């Protein structure tokens, strides 16, 4: 039927009707909140390029965890900024490394929280790459050794599971990383620990503020040989398909905002839970515009997160998580 029999505005007439027919629902349970943990004492240091996001030392971390729980967010993603870096990222898989310490502490303070551990080497290597680097004899250039890196990523994942992580989230984009980590976890007796794979991670300009936060900028070159070309979408299917075959429990697209088409594609192609990472620059641009009075921060954030979920995300990693959770409850922030 056409107008005037069909009037689409009938279902928009009141807030109650709009709520009744709303297709996409955003809740606090959708969010994972990233936290940066560092060494030292009495450290709560705001990251300049990420207003409202902080480095926490272990003695200040509990107050942040209590605030996360109070906000209604039920999952956290832990990143570590180590005291010591070396060429093989040994702090990443140290039993008493900063991430491992944080996992054990958070489990004791808030056992109901789901703890996701970032599994990568870039924050822990002195060269800032996500794996072991060696000189290629043919070209004379430094390259990341894929297969040698897998061994250390497995050690990292097992040490995080041993500390009490509920989910391992490998973000390194080495070929075969899910297969290697799944095998390592199973061999160590952690077959029940899930893998949230950074399946589709683009070599993006949207990571800049995170690299300030994690002190993980490459000291030479870039990551384009192992992270995906932003121009490619069919490649995303190949990457995700490999991870499914290797035993991933969840798939991720990172970044989210400029890759909503990729989120939708993976939602249609695969039946695993799908994660969107609302990355640092996406967050910082909103905060900067809001600080200048150019936008309504609450409205922009909730609309953006709803768009990610509408595109296909089941879970959203976002630095807005605490604020968004409170806004959804009708609270002022």
């Amino acid at each position: 039927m056409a107008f005037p029999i069909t009037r689409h505005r009938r279902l928009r007439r009141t807030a109650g009707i709009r709520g009744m027919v709303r297709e996409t629902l955003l809740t606090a349970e959708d969010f994972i909140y990233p936290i940066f943990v560092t060494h030292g004492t009495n450290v709560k240091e705001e990251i300049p390029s990420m207003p409202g996001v902080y480095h926490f030392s272990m003695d200040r971390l509990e107050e942040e965890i209590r605030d996360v729980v109070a906000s209604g967010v039920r999952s956290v993603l832990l990143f570590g900024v180590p005291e010591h870096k070396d060429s093989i990222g040994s702090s990443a898989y140290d039993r008493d490394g900063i991430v491992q310490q944080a996992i054990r502490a958070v489990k004791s303070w808030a056992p109901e929280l789901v703890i996701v551990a970032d599994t990568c080497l870039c924050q822990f290597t002195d060269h800032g790459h996500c794996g072991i680097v060696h000189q290629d004899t043919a070209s004379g250039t430094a390259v990341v050794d894929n297969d040698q890196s897998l061994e250390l990523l497995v050690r990292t994942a097992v040490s995080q599971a041993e500390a009490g992580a509920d989910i391992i989230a490998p973000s390194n984009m080495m070929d075969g990383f899910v297969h290697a980590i799944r095998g390592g976890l199973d061999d160590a007796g952690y077959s029940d620990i899930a893998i949230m794979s950074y399946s589709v991670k683009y070599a993006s300009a949207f990571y800049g503020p995170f690299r300030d936060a994690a002190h993980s900028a490459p000291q030479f070159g870039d990551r384009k040989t192992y992270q995906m070309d932003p121009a490619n979408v069919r490649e995303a299917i190949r990457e995700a398909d490999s991870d499914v075959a290797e035993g991933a429990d969840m798939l991720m697209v990172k970044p989210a905002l400029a890759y909503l088409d990729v989120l939708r594609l993976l939602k249609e192609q695969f039946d695993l839970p799908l994660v969107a990472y609302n990355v640092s620059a996406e967050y910082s641009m909103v905060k900067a515009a809001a600080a200048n009075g150019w936008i309504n921060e609450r409205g922009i954030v909730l609309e953006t997160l709803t768009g990610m979920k509408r595109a296909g995300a089941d879970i959203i990693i976002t630095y807005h998580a605490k604020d968004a959770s409170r806004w959804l409850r009708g609270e002022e922030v």
Side-chain angles (χ1 to χ4, degrees):
M1 294 291 184
F3 177 84
I5 295 174
T6 298
R7 291 181 180 267
H8 300 292
R9 289 179 55 187
R10 293 181 189 126
L11 298 183
R12 305 172 192 151
R13 189 171 57 85
T14 69
I17 294 174
R18 291 193 298 273
M20 181 184 296
V21 300
R22 186 162 292 131
E23 300 172 24
T24 304
L25 297 178
L26 194 66
T27 74
E29 290 185 342
D30 299 328
F31 304 142
I32 299 175
Y33 183 60
I35 299 176
F36 296 93
V37 188
T38 190
H39 286 275
T41 57
N42 196 32
V43 176
K44 182 182 178 181
E45 183 179 70
E46 189 171 41
I47 298 161
S49 57
M50 299 179 70
V53 178
Y54 297 83
H55 288 123
F56 292 95
S57 54
M58 287 297 300
D59 59 327
R60 297 293 301 273
L61 180 59
E62 184 174 5
E63 65 187 81
E64 177 71 345
I65 296 301
R66 299 299 179 199
D67 191 48
V68 170
V69 172
S71 76
V73 173
R74 299 187 180 184
S75 306
V76 294
L77 171 59
L78 296 178
F79 292 97
V81 181
E83 190 172 37
H84 167 73
K85 298 189 179 196
D86 56 33
S87 63
I88 58 173
S90 60
S91 295
Y93 43 89
D94 185 336
R95 187 183 184 280
D96 293 316
I98 190 64
V99 172
Q100 289 80 356
Q101 290 182 46
I103 292 169
R104 289 191 289 267
V106 174
K107 272 297 177 188
S108 69
W109 297 326
E112 72 278 15
L113 276 182
V114 175
I115 299 179
V116 185
D118 176 72
T119 306
C120 197
L121 300 178
C122 60
Q123 301 103 289
F124 304 93
T125 55
D126 52 16
H127 47 72
H129 281 280
C130 301
I132 301 301
V133 171
H134 69 246
Q135 291 295 122
D136 180 70
T137 53
S139 65
T141 59
V143 297
V144 175
D145 187 311
N146 189 96
D147 295 4
Q148 188 179 1
S149 301
L150 294 179
E151 299 174 16
L152 300 187
L153 292 165
V154 170
R155 292 177 63 181
T156 302
V158 170
S159 72
Q160 293 168 340
E162 182 183 48
D166 298 294
I167 297 172
I168 298 300
S171 59
N172 53 87
M173 287 297 286
M174 297 294 111
D175 287 338
F177 68 95
V178 173
H179 173 77
I181 290 172
R182 182 73 274 158
L185 290 172
D186 291 355
D187 290 345
Y190 298 108
S191 58
D192 56 340
I193 299 300
I195 295 177
M196 177 189 290
S197 174
Y198 284 63
S199 302
V200 181
K201 182 177 181 181
Y202 286 91
S204 172
F206 282 91
Y207 302 150
F210 174 89
R211 291 176 181 172
D212 290 341
H215 301 168
S216 63
Q219 297 304 299
F220 61 88
D222 53 42
R223 295 175 179 153
K224 293 180 180 179
T225 61
Y226 48 100
Q227 294 178 359
M228 281 182 53
D229 186 334
N232 293 353
V233 64
R234 292 194 303 273
E235 183 183 3
I237 299 176
R238 299 196 297 271
E239 286 281 1
D241 193 55
S242 293
D243 289 357
V244 172
E246 293 174 16
D249 299 285
M250 307 178 195
L251 305 177
M252 186 191 301
V253 174
K254 179 183 181 183
L257 195 57
Y259 300 89
L260 297 180
D261 60 320
V262 183
L263 271 170
R264 171 50 56 189
L265 181 63
L266 262 64
K267 187 69 170 181
E268 294 170 349
Q269 293 284 331
F270 302 98
D271 59 4
L272 292 181
L274 183 59
V275 184
Y277 199 140
N278 179 209
V279 298
S280 59
E282 296 169 4
Y283 170 87
S284 296
M285 289 189 296
V286 170
K287 298 298 284 189
N292 279 282
W294 297 337
I295 62 170
N296 177 317
E297 181 178 356
R298 173 177 176 162
I300 290 287
V301 168
L302 294 181
E303 184 175 342
T304 299
L305 297 178
T306 298
M308 292 171 189
K309 192 168 183 188
R310 189 185 65 247
D314 301 292
I315 301 162
I316 303 171
I317 301 170
T318 178
Y319 304 95
H320 296 292
K322 291 193 300 179
D323 288 349
S325 180
R326 289 185 164 109
W327 286 328
L328 289 170
R329 293 196 311 217
E331 299 178 15
E332 296 296 327
V333 176

